[in-house]
C-alpha cells in the first residue's frame, strides 16, 4: 500500500498511539526510578560522572515519567502543545537515562517512542495551551495508581535484593534506595500539586447567560457576523443557555444542563477555524465535571468533526428546507396551496414584516395566550422558542392582519449572510382565517426571496427517515415504530406530510455522545429541558367554558 494511502490512516490513529506510548514511557521511567540500578553499570558510571549529575538525572527522570502520564491525556485530545511537550520530555528523558545508571535499553525505548511520535505533528491540530487542558479525575486516579504500583514494586525489589558481602556494594545499595525514595516522593508531590491545580483551575459549571449578563452582548455580536450560522442559532438569545466562548471571543457553543446531562445545541457558532477547539473544550469540561456530554441537532456537515471526537451518532429525524429560487405556486401540485393562499387574501388577510422591536407586545401576547389555551404543554424552551416580550423583540415579526386587526404572527430567525431564514413562534387567534398557516407560509417564502435569502427552513420532522431493518440500530428501529404508531403522543407523520406540500429538501439531523447507551438519557433530558420539566410535559390545554 502506497504512502499517500497509509498517511491518513496513520494520522487518524496517531493521537491514540502517542498517548499509549507516553503512558508506557512514563510508567517505565517511574519504575526505573523506584527500583535498584544494575550494580556493575552503576559502578562504571561513578568512574566518570559526578555524583551531582547522577542524583539530578535520577530525580528528574521520575518527575518526567509522571509528566508523560499527564501529557498522554493531552495527546489523546490532539493538543499541539501536548505534542511539543511530549517530544521534548522524551528527548530529555532519553539522555538522562544514560546518566542515572547507563540504562541504554531505556534510552533506546525512549528514543523509539520519540521517533514514532515526531512524524505526526499534523495530527495534533488543536491550538490550545496546556493549562487549558481539562484533566479528568479518572486520569489523575490512573496516574496515582501507576505511582503506587511502581512504588510497591520498588519497595519489594529493594527488600529482596541481596548484595555481595562487600561494604562498598552495601553502601551503594543504600544510596540507591535513598535515591529511589526521593524520586518517588517527588513524583507523588508533583502529582498532588497537579491534582490541587486541577481542582482550583477547573472552571465551575458556566452560569446561565440572560439579557442581564454582559456576556449577552457578545452573543448578539457573534450572531450578527457568524459564518454559515443556521437560523436555529438564534436560540442563543432565548436567555436559558450556557456558553463556552473561544479564546478570540468570536465564536461560542451554547448548551443546557439537566442533572448529569450537558447538551450542546447545534455546532459552535462563529468562525469556522474555531469549531473543533470548542467541540473538544465542551467535551473535556463535561468530562471533568463527571457529566455525560451530548451534541444535539447536528447536520451532515458536522459528522466528520464528531468522528474526530470519537462520538457515537444516532439519527433523530429530518429537517426541511425550501430553496426559494425554485419555489412557485404554479402547477397542479400547488393547486390546494394556491387556492388556500388566494382565499385568505380575498377574505381580507394582509401580510407585513415589522423590524425587530416594533411590534405591539400587548397584541401579540393576547394572540399567544389564546393559542396556548388550545395546545398542551405550555411555553417551550432550550430547543424551541417561547413567548417572552424581551425575546420576541430580538427578531423581525411577520404579521397577518384581518380588517386591520392582527390575527396571526410569526417571529423570524434571520442569518447574517442570508444563507437561510426560518420561523420560530407561529401563533394565531380564533378570529384568524381558516387557512392562515398556508397564507403566512406562502407570503414568508415570497418575502424571503425578495430579501435575498437562499432558503427557508421549516424545521424538524422528529423521527422521520429512520430505518426499520433487521440490521439497523435498535434505536432506529424503536424510533421508526414510534413514528408509525405514536400519533397519539405526537403528530409525527402529519408534520412530515404538511411540510412535504412545499417540496422541501430533507436533511438528516443527529445526536452524538461519547457512548451509544447514553443517548436515550440525553434525549429524555432534551425533552424535559425543552418542555420546562415534567410539569410542562403533563400540562394540558384549558377546557372551553360551558
Amino acid at each position: 500500500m502506497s504512502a499517500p494511502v497509509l498517511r491518513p490512516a496513520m494520522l487518524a490513529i496517531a493521537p491514540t498511539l502517542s498517548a499509549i506510548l507516553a503512558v508506557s514511557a512514563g510508567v517505565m521511567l517511574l519504575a526505573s526510578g523506584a527500583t535498584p540500578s544494575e550494580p556493575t553499570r552503576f559502578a562504571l558510571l561513578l568512574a566518570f560522572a559526578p555524583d551531582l549529575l547522577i542524583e539530578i538525572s535520577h530525580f528528574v527522570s521520575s518527575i518526567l515519567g509522571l509528566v508523560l502520564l499527564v501529557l498522554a491525556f493531552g495527546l489523546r485530545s490532539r493538543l499541539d502543545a501536548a505534542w511539543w511537550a511530549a517530544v521534548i520530555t522524551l528527548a530529555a528523558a532519553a539522555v538522562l537515562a544514560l546518566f542515572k545508571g547507563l540504562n541504554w535499553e531505556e534510552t533506546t525505548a525512549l528514543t523509539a517512542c520519540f521517533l514514532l511520535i515526531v512524524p505526526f505533528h499534523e495530527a495534533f491540530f488543536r491550538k490550545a495551551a496546556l493549562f487549558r487542558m481539562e484533566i479528568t479525575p479518572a486520569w489523575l486516579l490512573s496516574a496515582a495508581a501507576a505511582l503506587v504500583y511502581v512504588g510497591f514494586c520498588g519497595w519489594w525489589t529493594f527488600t529482596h535484593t541481596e548484595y555481595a558481602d562487600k561494604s562498598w556494594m552495601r553502601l551503594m545499595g543504600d544510596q540507591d534506595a535513598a535515591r529511589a525514595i526521593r524520586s518517588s516522593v517527588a513524583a507523588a508531590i508533583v502529582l498532588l500539586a497537579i491534582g490541587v491545580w486541577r481542582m482550583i483551575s477547573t472552571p465551575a459549571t458556566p452560569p446561565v447567560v440572560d439579557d442581564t449578563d454582559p456576556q449577552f452582548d457578545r452573543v448578539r455580536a457573534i450572531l450578527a457576523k457568524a459564518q454559515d450560522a443556521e437560523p436555529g442559532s438564534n436560540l442563543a438569545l432565548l436567555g436559558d443557555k450556557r456558553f463556552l466562548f473561544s479564546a478570540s471571543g468570536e465564536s461560542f457553543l451554547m448548551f443546557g444542563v439537566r442533572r448529569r446531562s450537558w447538551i450542546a445545541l447545534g455546532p459552535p457558532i462563529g468562525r469556522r477555524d474555531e469549531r473543533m477547539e470548542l467541540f473538544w473544550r465542551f467535551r473535556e469540561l463535561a468530562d471533568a465535571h463527571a457529566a455525560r456530554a451530548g451534541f444535539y441537532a447536528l447536520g451532515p456537515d458536522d459528522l466528520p468533526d464528531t468522528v474526530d471526537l470519537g462520538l457515537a451518532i444516532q439519527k433523530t429525524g429530518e429537517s426541511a428546507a425550501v430553496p426559494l429560487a425554485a419555489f412557485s405556486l404554479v402547477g397542479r401540485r400547488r393547486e390546494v396551496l394556491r387556492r388556500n393562499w388566494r382565499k385568505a387574501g380575498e377574505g381580507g388577510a394582509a401580510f407585513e414584516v415589522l423590524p425587530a422591536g416594533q411590534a405591539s407586545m400587548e397584541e401579540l401576547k393576547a394572540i399567544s395566550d389564546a393559542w396556548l389555551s388550545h395546545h398542551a404543554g405550555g411555553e417551550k424552551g432550550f430547543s424551541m422558542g417561547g413567548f417572552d416580550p424581551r425575546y420576541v423583540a430580538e427578531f423581525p415579526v411577520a404579521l397577518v392582519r384581518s380588517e386591520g386587526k392582527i390575527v396571526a404572527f410569526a417571529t423570524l430567525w434571520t442569518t447574517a449572510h442570508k444563507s437561510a431564514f426560518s420561523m420560530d413562534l407561529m401563533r394565531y387567534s380564533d378570529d384568524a382565517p381558516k387557512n392562515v398557516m398556508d397564507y403566512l407560509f406562502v407570503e414568508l417564502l415570497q418575502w424571503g426571496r425578495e430579501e435575498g435569502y437562499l432558503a427557508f427552513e421549516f424545521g424538524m420532522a422528529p423521527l422521520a427517515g429512520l430505518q426499520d431493518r433487521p440490521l439497523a440500530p435498535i434505536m432506529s428501529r424503536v424510533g421508526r415504530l414510534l413514528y408509525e404508531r405514536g400519533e397519539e403522543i405526537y403528530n409525527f407523520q402529519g408534520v412530515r406530510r404538511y411540510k412535504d406540500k412545499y417540496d422541501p429538501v430533507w436533511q438528516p439531523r443527529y445526536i452524538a455522545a461519547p457512548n451509544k447507551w447514553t443517548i436515550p438519557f440525553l434525549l429524555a433530558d432534551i425533552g424535559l429541558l425543552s418542555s420546562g420539566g415534567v410539569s410542562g410535559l403533563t400540562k394540558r390545554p384549558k377546557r372551553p367554558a360551558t
Side-chain angles (χ1 to χ4, degrees), residues 442-516:
V442 170
E443 291 290 342
L444 276 175
L445 293 173
Q446 295 175 344
W447 174 85
R449 182 165 53 198
E450 292 170 1
E451 292 292 317
Y453 288 94
L454 301 180
F456 177 77
E457 291 195 2
F458 267 97
M460 279 275 290
L463 303 183
L466 300 184
Q467 297 295 316
D468 183 16
R469 295 176 178 269
L471 298 180
I474 184 65
M475 290 184 62
S476 294
R477 300 183 68 182
V478 171
R480 182 67 183 186
L481 181 66
L482 186 60
Y483 177 79
E484 293 176 346
R485 303 186 183 182
E487 290 298 294
E488 292 184 1
I489 302 172
Y490 183 83
N491 189 20
F492 295 106
Q493 296 183 53
V495 169
R496 173 70 185 242
R497 283 195 299 269
Y498 183 84
K499 296 177 180 180
D500 265 335
K501 292 195 305 183
Y502 298 87
D503 289 334
V505 176
W506 291 97
Q507 284 199 326
R509 292 290 171 175
Y510 304 92
I511 185 173
N515 301 294
K516 197 84 171 180

Side-chain angles (χ1 to χ4, degrees), residues 132-151:
R132 298 289 293 273
M133 184 170 65
E134 298 289 348
I135 304 171
T136 65
W139 201 271
L140 286 175
L141 186 62
S142 299
L147 194 58
V148 170
Y149 173 74
V150 298

Side-chain angles (χ1 to χ4, degrees), residues 35-112:
T35 52
S37 302
E38 205 283 322
T40 306
R41 294 185 187 179
F42 195 77
L44 181 61
L45 178 65
L46 285 172
F48 68 87
D51 292 346
L52 181 61
L53 179 59
I54 296 172
E55 293 287 344
I56 292 174
S57 299
H58 209 284
F59 186 83
V60 174
S61 289
S62 294
I63 295 177
L64 292 181
L66 181 63
V67 169
L68 284 171
L69 289 182
V70 176
L71 287 176
F73 184 85
L75 291 171
R76 190 191 66 170
S77 300
R78 304 172 185 264
L79 285 181
D80 175 69
W83 180 88
W84 278 107
V87 166
I88 293 171
T89 302
L90 286 169
V95 175
L96 291 175
L98 293 174
F99 290 101
K100 70 176 184 179
L102 294 181
N103 297 333
W104 60 267
E105 299 94 343
E106 192 174 310
T107 297
T108 302
L110 292 167
T111 303

